[in-house]
Amino acid sequence: MAAVTYSIIQVRRFLHDAHFRVQSSVQEALASGKPIVALESAIIAHGMPYPQNLSMARNVEEIVRTHGSVPATVGILNGKIHIGLNDEELHFLAKSENLVKVSRRDLPYVLSQGSSGGTTVSGTMIAAHKAGIHVFVTGGIGGVHRGGEITMDVSTDLTELGRTPVAVVSAGVKSILDIGRTLEFLETQGVCVAAFGESREFPAFFCRQSGFQAPYQVQNEEEAAKLIASILALGLSSGVLIAVPCPKEQAASGQIFEDAIQQALKEARSKGIIGKELTPFVLQRVNELTSGKSLDSNIALVQNNARVGSRIAVALGKLKKAQGKGNLPQSGRATAPQPVVIGGTNVDFIAKARNATMLVGGQTNTGKVSRTFGGVGRNLADCLSRLGRTPFFISAMGKDEHSESILRYCSHMDMGGVLQLEGHNTATYCAVITGSGELSLGLGDMDIHQQITEHYVSRYKQHLCMAPVVCIDGNVPIATIQYVCQIAREHQVPVCYEPTDENKASKPFLSDSWRALTYISPNLRELRAINRTLGHPVPTDLPSRLEDVVRTAMTLACPLLTQLCCVVVTLGSHGVLLCGRSMGGSVSLHPGTHTQNAAGELCAAHYPAVPVSREEIVNVSGAGDSLMGGIISGLLAGYDTDTCVRMGLLSASFSLHSRAAIAALQNFQYACAGIQSRTCQKPSDCDGCLGLYTCKLPRGKCDLKAVSRETGGFQQSVRST
């Protein structure tokens, strides 16, 4: 128990390290003891041409997931070591030129310069060990170069294996190297080397045979896991190399490749290519000389290694559990990093008139009145919880009959940060909605929100520091918003601000606090109020025609994008407009790529709303919060921008059809998950996707089309289905 507790402390310290950024799925796996497989990025940035490198990276991650583990691709972005990359970050590494090839030697300089690059076996092992990840999959490791006895050209991969306790699963040593001397060097470094499978033959990357025998052999994943567990139990500082032969059907002819290697090495010598530039050059030249056969073999062996490595990680996890060390103590699970939402909790009374035109002057309008539970912060936390991203919710309520009802209703949420105060009223809100579904009037008793003080929120500083994202709404006092922004700036935590209404929208913008925000989700009126607070010119009247609305929204978003990653402008029935910087053909939602592309062009993407007739609209109070809940849920899952927005639009459409502010449909999570793969993943008792996408779409094709045009300094992308 003491050893496990120490491990938890080390992981928490690691998660606070300013040099590291850990993807939320990897954080969750670390906290819960799920099997994780580390993956390198030098093979993406330097080992293969685009777009094969990007396709390979995506496929390898999916293979790792399919076989039971969580993938954690390691890369350097903007001077930070990222453990776990989203799709936009993979695309950045795959397509960018002049990236650094980062090993142990290069790490300090690359981080100090704020540069980006792909991590080698050595660099990835360091990151994996720091994170507590025991299994790492690569294609083939570096070694002693041919003629290394003269040049002393020896890869740092070998010395890293001698000093870092991580299991490396590879197809042996790259066949362009001196394999005999490499095995001798590994023996000197005290590295345990074992061939995987039916033979002790040590594989040579493209080729199944090298002419050398491995010192040891493990026949399956369970034996490999036992070997790794023994090394970890002994506390040795050295790693282990599991050498997996390339699949027979993709293995290359040894003589063909040997001839190509000799030719490539001859050319390298004539051009004076040495050091870390040598391997990429030779691999590329061998691929050319073999008409692409080496690249096919390379991709096949990496994918095979991913299958084997993922299974080894699963077997290692089972072994640790069987030994009583796999499950973290309850305190470790309770403090696992999770999103944090800070904001209001209300009891909402929704009054919807029967007619589109309201009678005024004290007359009674016929309609229906219902009670639901709302508050912008609560709605957002509710939506995230229903989408499987349960946040830690910080709020305040009275201790009365309303609060007891809220707690019962929100039993699916983490309400551990909700303060209950005697002598105070739980916030109540009354919304009057026209028959056409438009909000006509809102009345609120919101005094309790002033009790969400800086002092109270500071109790949960650890949650804030470790959160993958913090969401805060405009109900929170200004001093609390400033405190949260300060913590976020110090620990580089993304912050999403939901303005709530026109009068509260400008709270962060009354000081420099807004510069710490990452996302903001205003409507057009709130966006105008923010610009007015910042002293920028604003229109007196707001347009109603879609093209004018989009143009105005882009103009008002521009000043905020000097600091923010993305401005999500909610346009009601017109849908949503994303304003930010271009990344991979769409607006980037990921803060890591925002800073890298600070000089990139501004762009905006308009997504139409899911068609919902006026007669179908039941409640509009939670649609905007559901939209952001869906987007943030997709963001935390590492999905691309389009998928995140589609999840948000589907969530909003469910909300519009629901009496509750946030839809409590049985298949809510299944429906949103189905969007990511563009196929229907819902069970047979389907609640319906409300027309957002077509079930049984042939071959998984999507009917989403896009056209672009230059507009007002932005590259505007207008999408329609």
Side-chain angles (χ1 to χ4, degrees), residues 3 13 29 38 251 366 484 521 550 552 585-586 603 617 631 658 682-683 720:
R13 287 177 179 170
T366 58
V484 171
S521 55
V550 169
T552 300
S586 63
C603 67
I617 295 175
I631 290 175
S658 171
K682 291 171 286 183
S720 60

Side-chain angles (χ1 to χ4, degrees), residues 19 79 107-115:
H19 294 304
L107 273 172
Y109 182 79
V110 172
L111 267 57
S112 70
Q113 295 296 308
S115 303

Side-chain angles (χ1 to χ4, degrees), residues 657-680:
H657 287 79
S658 171
R659 293 190 182 278
I662 304 299
L665 298 176
Q666 179 181 357
N667 295 323
F668 191 13
Q669 186 173 353
Y670 288 100
C672 285
I675 295 176
Q676 200 275 332
S677 61
R678 308 295 196 267
T679 59
C680 181

Side-chain angles (χ1 to χ4, degrees), residues 87-162:
D87 195 68
E88 289 184 5
E89 291 163 342
L90 286 174
H91 191 276
F92 172 79
L93 290 177
K95 199 168 185 181
S96 297
E97 298 180 356
N98 302 319
L99 293 175
V100 184
K101 189 177 179 183
V102 185
S103 64
R104 172 181 282 268
R105 167 191 83 168
D106 311 294
L107 273 172
Y109 182 79
V110 172
L111 267 57
S112 70
Q113 295 296 308
S115 303
S116 299
T119 53
T120 64
V121 170
S122 170
T124 307
M125 287 181 71
I126 292 170
H129 177 54
K130 289 275 189 181
I133 300 171
H134 303 304
V135 179
F136 160 42
V137 164
T138 184
I141 66 167
V144 179
H145 283 263
R146 300 190 186 194
E149 70 277 13
I150 299 172
T151 64
M152 297 300 292
D153 192 350
V154 179
S155 171
T156 188
D157 294 354
L158 304 186
T159 53
E160 203 62 55
L161 274 161

Side-chain angles (χ1 to χ4, degrees), residues 478-554:
I478 293 175
T480 306
I481 293 174
Q482 292 174 344
Y483 169 74
V484 171
C485 288
Q486 176 187 344
I487 294 295
R489 184 184 289 110
E490 292 173 355
H491 295 272
Q492 297 184 317
V493 176
V495 179
C496 176
Y497 177 64
E498 167 51 61
T500 306
D501 65 37
E502 190 174 357
N503 294 325
K504 300 172 182 176
S506 298
K507 284 184 177 182
F509 299 88
L510 296 172
S511 67
D512 284 341
S513 296
W514 73 277
R515 298 177 185 274
L517 301 178
T518 313
Y519 315 101
I520 184 171
S521 55
N523 60 31
L524 203 55
R525 291 184 179 276
E526 293 162 352
L527 188 55
R528 180 177 64 175
I530 290 167
N531 274 265
R532 186 182 293 118
T533 299
L534 292 175
H536 301 302
V538 297
T540 304
D541 299 315
L542 295 176
S544 56
R545 195 165 64 99
L546 175 58
E547 188 167 331
D548 296 330
V549 168
V550 169
R551 193 183 304 275
T552 300
M554 290 192 295

